[in-house]
């Protein structure tokens, strides 16, 4: 019979040839106990994200005040502000006419803690950034899917990976039920503030009723969400394994040059979303549709704080004639994003609420059609664990986006017009995009490429 140590090591193992070694797993607890009986309700939109996970990696260069024990200490301190993170999921109880807070998943804030994994990488940070593939970057993250006993399963996992030059990668993985990419990225702001013993610019706002709805009659189904729900099928492990990721960096000069060739006023998001839409689909003739995932914290009449804890992603369908060329396609995306009415957001929330009361079967929100998410508004590089030292790089992924794939447009380390684009596509498509002459012509630098690209 294998020893306990052997069992833990096996569970933490990375793939053959990995330069990352995970060597310990523990639990990080809050320094401040939660009052007994406290719960955190999840909105119908949160519950709809059950098939998806969120993964964020923050790379920090070596600094005098940055070591493993200090990071663990500040993590325990910041968890005091996030009682839902250290809790466990339980099914809500109630009849079909119960309040939304008592249907679907509910978080029991029981101070069970978050899982923490310690790891080391056999290279320096700069060597890693120069040579790692998109798939290798996942070795900096640790996640265990929910099992048959969710009340003992940790929805959050934090991996601390130390490079040989004493730099660190902080990897956060969680189920999308708890947090969307914006909330997950801004958690690092609060962690960094706790590390510097100051106050976060984006304090957590744990107030589920902020998105509460109670329609008086069943609302009509939003076409996009209705299609996703009717096409629902379990996400297989094989399908997830067939997907591959890569990261493209567009310096500010490259983005400015791209924008100069487009209609005045075109946003970097629309320009890059249009570019990758055209290159991924092969610039097919005729009108096509692209699903956009938009953060609506600040798109409502009564906006939510940036620190809102939960999901606030709205999925909307844009249309454009791909034969009309990049300038026209980018302009069409900008017009659509600017024209999404708040009523559309609430109709989607009302429909998800009603559907949750009738059935609780999850379905794929990111995909199966090609989806592009706008995250370049998120101040990811403000998480300064040492005053004045921004992260060297921040990466973000969304798990469960199988099918045609997902494109994320993110801010870049140097700020301004610079952007990073993370694609998660079928493996062959990822390799093709990494070699695409049009993408490279527009100044893209492949930071974390596809495995096939690295081997050539």
């Amino acid at each position: 019979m294998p020893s306990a140590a052997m069992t833990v090591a096996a569970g933490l193992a990375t793939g053959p040839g990995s330069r990352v070694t995970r060597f310990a797993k523990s639990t990080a607890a809050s320094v401040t106990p939660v009052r007994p009986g406290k719960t955190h309700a999840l909105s119908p939109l949160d519950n709809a994200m059950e098939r998806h996970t969120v993964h964020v990696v923050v790379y920090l260069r070596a600094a005098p005040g940055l070591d493993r024990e200090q990071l663990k200490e500040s993590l325990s301190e910041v968890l005091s502000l996030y009682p839902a993170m250290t809790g466990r999921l339980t099914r809500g109880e109630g009849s079909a006419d119960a309040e939304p807070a008592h249907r679907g998943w509910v978080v029991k804030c029981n101070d069970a803690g978050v899982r923490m994994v310690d790891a080391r990488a056999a290279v320096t940070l700069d060597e890693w950034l120069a040579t790692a593939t998109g798939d290798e970057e996942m070795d900096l993250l640790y996640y265990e899917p929910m099992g048959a006993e969710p009340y003992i399963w940790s929805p959050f996992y934090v991996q601390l990976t130390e490079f040989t030059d004493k730099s660190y990668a902080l990897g956060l993985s969680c189920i999308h039920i708890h947090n969307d990419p914006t909330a997950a990225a801004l958690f690092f702001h609060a962690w960094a503030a706790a590390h510097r013993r100051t106050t976060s610019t984006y304090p957590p706002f744990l107030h589920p009723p902020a998105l509460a709805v109670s329609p008086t009659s069943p609302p009509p189904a939003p076409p996009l969400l209705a299609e996703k729900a009717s096409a629902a099928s379990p996400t297989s492990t094989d399908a997830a394994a067939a997907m591959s990721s890569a990261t493209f960096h567009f310096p500010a000069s490259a983005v400015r040059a791209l924008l100069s060739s487009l209609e005045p006023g075109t946003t970097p998001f629309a320009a890059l979303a249009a570019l990758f839409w055209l290159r991924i689909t092969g610039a097919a003739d005729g009108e096509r549709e692209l699903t956009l995932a938009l953060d609506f914290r600040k798109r409502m009449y009564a906006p939510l704080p940036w620190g809102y804890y939960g999901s606030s992603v709205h999925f909307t369908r844009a249309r454009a004639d791909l034969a009309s060329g990049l300038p026209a396609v980018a302009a069409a995306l900008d017009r659509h994003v600017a024209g999404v009415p708040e009523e559309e957001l609430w109709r989607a929330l009302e429909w998800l609420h009603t559907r949750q009361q009738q059935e609780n079967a999850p379905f794929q929100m990111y995909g199966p059609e090609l989806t592009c998410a706008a995250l370049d508004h998120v101040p990811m590089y403000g998480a300064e664990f040492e005053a004045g030292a921004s992260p060297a790089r921040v990466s973000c992924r969304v798990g469960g986006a199988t099918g045609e794939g997902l494109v994320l447009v993110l801010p870049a380390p140097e700020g301004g017009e610079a952007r990073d684009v993370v694609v998660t596509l079928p493996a062959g498509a990822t390799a093709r995009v990494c070699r695409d002459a049009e993408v490279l012509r527009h100044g893209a630098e492949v930071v974390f490429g596809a495995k096939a690209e690295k081997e050539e």
Side-chain angles (χ1 to χ4, degrees):
M1 178 179 295
S3 67
M6 291 175 62
T7 302
V8 170
L12 296 177
T14 52
S18 174
R19 295 175 288 179
V20 176
T21 302
R22 302 185 183 116
F23 59 88
K25 182 163 66 172
S26 58
T27 299
S30 165
V31 297
T32 305
V34 178
R35 63 173 174 80
K38 181 178 177 60
T39 60
H40 176 79
L42 296 165
S43 73
L45 178 57
D46 293 331
N47 276 271
M49 298 295 186
E50 183 174 341
R51 285 196 183 181
H52 299 288
T53 52
V54 178
H55 309 274
V56 179
V57 180
V58 174
Y59 295 93
L60 303 175
R61 295 198 179 278
L66 203 66
D67 64 38
R68 193 179 298 273
E69 292 308 313
Q70 289 173 317
L71 287 168
K72 289 182 178 181
E73 180 181 344
S74 57
L75 175 60
S76 291
E77 291 175 1
V78 76
L79 288 177
S80 299
L81 304 177
Y82 290 86
M85 284 185 65
T86 58
R88 294 295 180 263
L89 290 172
T90 182
R91 284 292 185 185
E93 298 178 356
S95 61
D97 60 351
E99 290 297 317
H102 301 294
R103 302 286 295 172
W105 291 107
V106 173
V107 181
K108 184 178 181 180
C109 302
N110 57 4
D111 281 326
V114 304
R115 295 286 185 264
M116 173 174 285
V117 170
D118 288 289
R120 295 189 183 95
V123 293
T124 67
L125 173 57
D126 286 334
E127 288 170 340
W128 178 269
L129 294 176
T131 61
T133 68
D135 296 337
E136 282 181 312
E137 192 180 33
M138 296 304 290
D139 287 342
L140 303 179
L141 297 152
Y142 183 83
Y143 185 75
E144 295 177 5
M146 184 191 302
E149 300 174 315
Y151 52 88
I152 62 172
W153 169 76
S154 175
F156 284 84
Y157 295 81
V158 175
Q159 179 171 319
L160 302 183
T161 305
E162 182 181 353
F163 295 94
T164 58
D165 62 349
K166 303 303 181 182
S167 297
Y168 278 89
L170 313 183
L172 173 70
S173 297
C174 66
I175 191 167
H176 206 314
I177 282 177
H178 268 269
N179 267 340
D180 62 11
T182 299
L186 291 181
F187 166 74
F188 285 96
H189 273 260
W191 186 358
H195 195 80
R196 301 193 322 271
R197 301 195 178 281
T198 186
T199 303
S200 173
T201 309
Y202 309 98
F205 181 75
L206 287 86
H207 191 59
L211 291 183
V213 292
S214 185
T216 55
S217 60
L224 178 57
L225 293 185
E227 288 180 21
K228 289 177 181 288
S230 63
S233 60
T235 301
S236 70
T237 302
D238 290 342
M243 306 295 284
S244 181
S245 292
T247 299
F248 301 82
H249 175 61
F250 289 83
S253 58
V255 176
R256 285 195 293 267
L258 174 60
L259 294 176
S260 68
S261 67
L262 307 178
E263 294 186 9
T266 301
T267 63
F269 168 72
L272 293 169
L275 174 63
F276 279 85
W277 186 15
L278 287 166
R279 303 319 299 167
I280 291 169
T281 60
D285 291 341
E287 192 168 66
R288 299 285 292 271
E289 294 179 336
L290 176 67
T291 296
L292 301 177
L294 307 176
D295 186 312
F296 61 82
R297 282 170 173 78
K298 300 301 180 182
R299 297 179 64 91
M300 299 187 297
Y301 176 75
L304 293 169
W306 276 125
Y308 172 75
Y309 182 95
S311 295
S312 65
V313 182
H314 177 62
F315 294 86
T316 181
R317 181 178 283 159
R319 301 178 66 89
D321 181 358
L322 300 192
S324 62
L326 179 59
V329 173
L333 293 181
D334 260 336
R335 285 194 300 271
H336 184 86
V337 170
V340 176
E342 183 175 347
E343 291 75 14
E344 183 179 309
L345 311 176
W346 289 106
R347 283 198 298 270
L349 293 174
E350 289 172 354
W351 182 78
L352 288 170
H353 167 94
T354 301
R355 185 180 186 276
Q356 183 176 303
Q357 306 310 302
Q358 299 168 350
E359 60 175 312
N360 209 35
F363 57 92
Q364 190 175 356
M365 297 287 281
Y366 294 85
E369 73 284 357
L370 184 64
T371 304
C372 187
L375 293 172
D376 53 340
H377 63 286
V378 182
M380 295 182 172
Y381 290 89
E384 297 182 355
F385 282 76
E386 292 293 309
S390 298
R393 181 167 292 280
V394 179
S395 181
C396 180
R397 313 279 181 87
V398 175
T402 56
E404 293 184 11
L406 176 64
V407 178
L408 304 179
V409 179
L410 309 172
E414 61 266 47
E417 295 95 340
R419 296 291 187 274
D420 282 349
V421 177
V422 179
V423 301
T424 301
L425 307 168
T430 301
R432 286 194 301 273
V433 173
C434 283
R435 298 188 298 266
D436 188 271
E438 192 67 11
V439 172
L440 299 177
R441 184 180 72 82
H442 283 292
E445 303 168 2
V446 182
V447 182
F448 295 108
K451 184 175 294 185
E453 180 73 4
K454 290 290 183 181
E455 294 173 347
E456 292 181 352

